Amino acid sequence: MKKTTFRAMVGTTLAVAAAAVVLPATAGASWYEAAVPAGSGTAGRPTTDSFGRAVDAVLTERTAALLDGSPHRRRAGALASRDVHLSSGLVRSEDHTEASLRDRKKRLRELGEAYTAADTKVKVNDIEVRGGKASVRVTETTTLTYEKIRGNEPATTGFQAHHEVDFTRTPGGRWALTGIRPTDTGLVAVNAPLKAPQAKSAAADGLPVAAPASTRRPSRVPAPKPTSNGSGLNYAAMGAYAEKYWSRYNPAYPSYDSAGAGGDCTNFVSQALKAGGWKHAPGSWDDYRKWWSDPKLGNTLSFVGVNEWSWFALSSKRTTNLSNVWEMGVGDVLQMDFNRDGSKDHTMMVSYRDRRGTPYLTAHSTNTYRKSVASIVASYPRANYFAYRT
């Protein structure tokens, strides 16, 4: 399918050298492809471009709200054209979103993390027009540059997120952008709004129960993770695999990242664990005590399911729970229960740890590269966290 890509920058703080914001494993990607997407219906090229610019402006403003020292400057409204503008309802919603992101930026600063620059790109994947409604599916690719607070942070962090965007034709013939919905499962992007969790409870039903981990940053740097657990595991290989395939999927495995597939986060982490030495545990595909993936036979639930993986990892003694997320090292796994309902929602792997002990996590669904544990905790202050030493 042909695609159209748009790029926007917010303020002079985003005017950084291209080399400083290149996402790993995306070399050669063009930031602009002059083509109208297939299936665009009655939306011509000018309208398609206007759709892309409007979405790009909104998402870029969200990113800018996280930048340290960046003044709040609303640009999306100013980018209205003859064809497209933001609805008043979306403007109010984005004001609330950006206020929450500035609070997130404050929590990040308190945890010792900040961003100095960012680059947000939007690719229009498809447009469907029916009467006075248009549904636009886009992919956002954002890179944030870490501020050197401690001096040994990695250069950048990045993510790819997918959105479905609604436009409505107004009586005057213009299009109004009325809503943006994320379509990814798992961890939300750092520039995405967060819904308030709803407290629930669930019984463990006699299954292995993971112990929640503290998110409080310790006053002293945690001891580094041993290079081996005595079983021949290669933790560096686990981290290297995660960083190699964070944005391009290994064709040797099935992907569960498509709509309705449930998300690819645990499948991705299982692949990385296997690359670092975890062995298959043969048996029935629906037995959580078994763990394997086969290109012809499929895979066990424990290979791809968040909760099933936890049950296998604990019952097999391949992991132990850590008491604090800051204790994690390369190859360790972090899971989250977003709503504290007793069912875990997302799985990630530590692929990098700086000299001051900060773990950085890489994941699928949303595809994420080296996102610090500080950023995750600041984005999900009410979630339950489960840290596993592999």
Side-chain angles (χ1 to χ4, degrees):
M1 177 180 296
K2 296 181 179 180
K3 299 177 180 179
T4 302
T5 305
F6 298 87
R7 179 179 184 178
M9 307 294 277
V10 174
T12 57
T13 56
L14 297 189
V16 295
V21 296
V22 171
L23 287 173
T26 58
S30 172
W31 68 265
Y32 185 81
E33 300 168 18
V36 178
S40 59
T42 58
R45 173 61 184 276
T47 302
T48 299
D49 287 350
S50 296
F51 283 168
R53 283 193 298 270
V55 177
D56 196 293
V58 170
L59 296 177
T60 303
E61 283 187 355
R62 290 182 180 180
T63 306
L66 294 167
L67 298 183
D68 204 33
S70 174
H72 175 58
R73 296 170 55 191
R74 174 165 291 284
R75 292 182 68 248
L79 287 179
S81 67
R82 292 178 303 170
D83 301 313
V84 179
H85 67 282
L86 270 64
S87 70
S88 58
L90 187 66
V91 170
R92 290 192 297 271
S93 174
E94 288 302 307
D95 283 341
H96 177 76
T97 292
E98 291 176 25
S100 70
L101 290 173
R102 289 192 292 275
D103 288 340
R104 186 176 299 173
K105 176 175 68 175
K106 180 180 178 181
R107 292 195 298 272
L108 279 167
R109 170 59 76 172
E110 292 170 349
L111 289 166
E113 181 170 311
Y115 310 120
T116 59
D119 183 23
T120 291
K121 303 173 185 177
V122 169
K123 178 178 289 184
V124 177
N125 301 317
D126 187 63
I127 299 176
E128 181 179 356
V129 179
R130 291 187 178 182
K133 303 287 185 180
S135 178
V136 182
R137 285 163 288 278
V138 306
T139 298
E140 171 194 4
T141 301
T142 289
T143 308
L144 292 134
T145 302
Y146 284 113
E147 181 177 339
K148 296 300 182 180
I149 297 176
R150 299 180 304 277
N152 58 357
E153 293 87 346
T156 61
T157 180
F159 64 85
Q160 293 173 330
H162 302 87
H163 309 271
E164 187 165 337
V165 187
D166 296 325
F167 290 86
T168 301
R169 190 183 292 275
T170 62
R174 300 173 67 198
W175 290 96
L177 197 167
T178 57
I180 301 179
R181 298 182 303 283
T183 59
D184 296 302
T185 60
L187 190 70
V188 299
V190 67
N191 68 347
L194 184 65
K195 295 181 179 179
Q198 299 177 355
K200 300 178 182 178
S201 61
D205 295 329
L207 296 166
V209 179
S214 170
T215 59
R216 183 181 298 275
R217 185 163 194 163
S219 57
R220 295 184 179 181
V221 177
K225 179 182 179 180
T227 56
S228 172
N229 69 349
S231 300
L233 297 183
N234 187 334
Y235 298 126
M238 296 178 185
Y241 182 97
E243 296 199 348
K244 179 179 180 179
Y245 290 107
W246 79 272
S247 65
R248 56 184 180 90
Y249 290 23
N250 186 344
Y253 292 92
S255 169
Y256 297 90
D257 203 34
S258 59
D264 199 61
C265 62
T266 306
N267 182 39
F268 174 62
V269 166
S270 288
Q271 294 170 33
L273 290 168
K274 189 172 184 298
W278 273 35
K279 304 300 183 184
H280 282 166
S284 176
W285 68 273
D286 58 353
D287 185 344
Y288 73 82
R289 294 165 296 185
K290 311 303 178 183
W291 183 85
W292 52 264
S293 180
D294 184 276
K296 295 181 179 179
L297 301 177
N299 44 251
T300 58
L301 292 177
S302 62
F303 202 92
V304 300
V306 182
N307 291 286
E308 291 85 354
W309 180 90
S310 175
W311 300 335
F312 169 78
L314 293 172
S315 66
S316 65
K317 311 294 185 187
R318 295 195 186 188
T319 67
T320 56
N321 278 137
L322 297 171
S323 61
N324 192 300
V325 298
W326 293 88
E327 297 174 13
M328 293 187 300
V330 172
D332 287 341
V333 174
L334 181 67
Q335 292 190 315
M336 296 173 62
D337 176 359
F338 297 141
N339 297 322
R340 296 190 177 188
D341 63 358
S343 179
K344 300 174 187 66
D345 302 292
H346 189 53
T347 309
M348 298 162 280
M349 174 172 280
V350 177
S351 64
Y352 178 80
R353 188 176 190 242
D354 67 21
R355 295 191 303 272
R356 293 295 301 275
T358 300
Y360 292 80
L361 292 110
T362 297
H364 278 183
S365 305
T366 301
N367 296 345
T368 300
Y369 172 78
R370 288 192 181 182
K371 185 169 187 175
S372 78
V373 74
S375 174
I376 294 170
V377 171
S379 299
Y380 289 88
R382 301 179 185 177
N384 274 340
Y385 293 82
F386 304 87
Y388 302 81
R389 171 57 45 86
T390 59

